[in-house]
Amino acid sequence: MVHSTWHLVVVSSVASALNFGQLFAPKKPPTNEEIRAKYGVQLPSYEVLLENEDYEVRQYQTINCVRCEYTVRPEGYDLLGGYTAGQNADGLPMPRTSPALMVPFASPKIMRFVLPHPHTPYESDMEPIPPPAPKWDYNGLTTEEITYCVAVAKFSGYATPETCEAYRQALFKRLGEDGITAAPDALENMVLAQYNEIFALPWNRD
C-alpha cells in the first residue's frame, strides 16, 4: 500500500540535447546505479515504493547535508563547495557526492550538498555521525538532517525555470491521475537534483 501524500522532487537526467536545438534523438535516462558508476561518487540510498514509466516514489535514507540560500547557482556552489573543501569547524575536506539539491521556486532559493559517509552513511541502517559546523554563517549557511519521501521525474538538458515548471505540472497531473496527493507545500518546495558539474554540456546532464 502506497501512502497518499508525497513531497516532490524533480531530477534532471541525461537524455539528449533537448534544449540544444533538438540535435539528437532522446536516449533512455540513466539509472541511479549508472550515475554512481559514471561519477564514482557516493549517492544517497533509497527504497522505491512505487514505479511506473513516468515517475518513481522513493523513500530516501536520512541525509546529512550543508545548505545555504542563493540567488544564482554559482553562488550556492561556491559557498557549499567551500564548506566541503575544508572551510568548516574541523578544517575537514570531504569527498565529493551527488546530487546537488536545489529548491529553485522557494523564496529565498535553497541549495544543499549531500555530505559523505559517515555523515550520510553508505548503508541506510547505519547511524549517521553529525557533521562539523560551517566556519561562517552568512547566506544561511548551516548543516541539517533531512529525510525525503518523494515522487521523482527525470528530464534532460538544461534545468531552466520553464523546463522545471513544465515537468512539475506534468508530474502533478500524473500523480493526480494515480490518486496520489502531493504534500500541501510540494509546489513551492519542489527539489531539483543535479548530479553533474554546474557547467556540464546539456547532453551530459543527469
Side-chain angles (χ1 to χ4, degrees), residues 56-202:
E56 291 181 346
V57 174
R58 299 176 181 175
Q59 175 65 61
Y60 274 86
Q61 72 176 112
T62 299
I63 299 170
N64 264 307
C65 58
V66 58
R67 61 157 278 174
C68 71
E69 299 167 1
Y70 72 99
T71 303
V72 293
R73 290 183 193 176
E75 176 187 16
Y77 274 84
D78 285 347
L79 275 172
L80 302 185
Y83 172 91
T84 57
Q87 294 173 9
N88 54 64
D90 295 344
L92 177 68
M94 302 178 181
R96 192 171 72 87
T97 64
S98 281
L101 303 168
M102 288 161 271
V103 189
F105 293 109
S107 181
K109 299 176 183 178
I110 296 169
M111 183 182 293
R112 297 178 173 95
F113 277 8
V114 176
L115 297 180
H117 179 86
H119 311 300
T120 300
Y122 291 125
E123 304 297 335
S124 59
D125 59 351
M126 297 172 65
E127 190 68 26
I129 302 299
K135 206 168 183 178
W136 300 284
D137 61 0
Y138 53 82
N139 286 62
L141 188 65
T142 187
T143 60
E144 64 181 0
E145 188 177 89
I146 57 175
T147 303
Y148 281 133
C149 184
V150 291
V152 181
K154 299 180 181 182
F155 62 95
S156 64
Y158 289 124
T160 65
E162 295 78 15
T163 301
C164 291
E165 176 63 19
Y167 276 91
R168 178 170 67 162
Q169 295 299 335
L171 179 55
F172 266 79
K173 183 174 183 293
R174 278 306 315 270
L175 293 174
E177 291 170 351
D178 292 344
I180 298 174
T181 302
D185 60 351
L187 271 171
E188 177 183 353
N189 290 311
M190 183 203 77
V191 176
L192 171 69
Q194 188 163 323
Y195 289 83
N196 51 282
E197 292 80 4
I198 185 172
F199 297 116
L201 294 171

Side-chain angles (χ1 to χ4, degrees), residues 11-27 29 154-160 162-164 166-167 200-205:
V11 178
S12 175
S13 67
V14 162
S16 68
L18 185 63
N19 296 317
F20 202 67
Q22 293 288 354
L23 295 178
F24 301 96
K27 296 181 291 186
K154 299 180 181 182
F155 62 95
S156 64
Y158 289 124
T160 65
E162 295 78 15
T163 301
C164 291
Y167 276 91
L201 294 171
W203 54 83
N204 196 38
R205 286 178 175 262

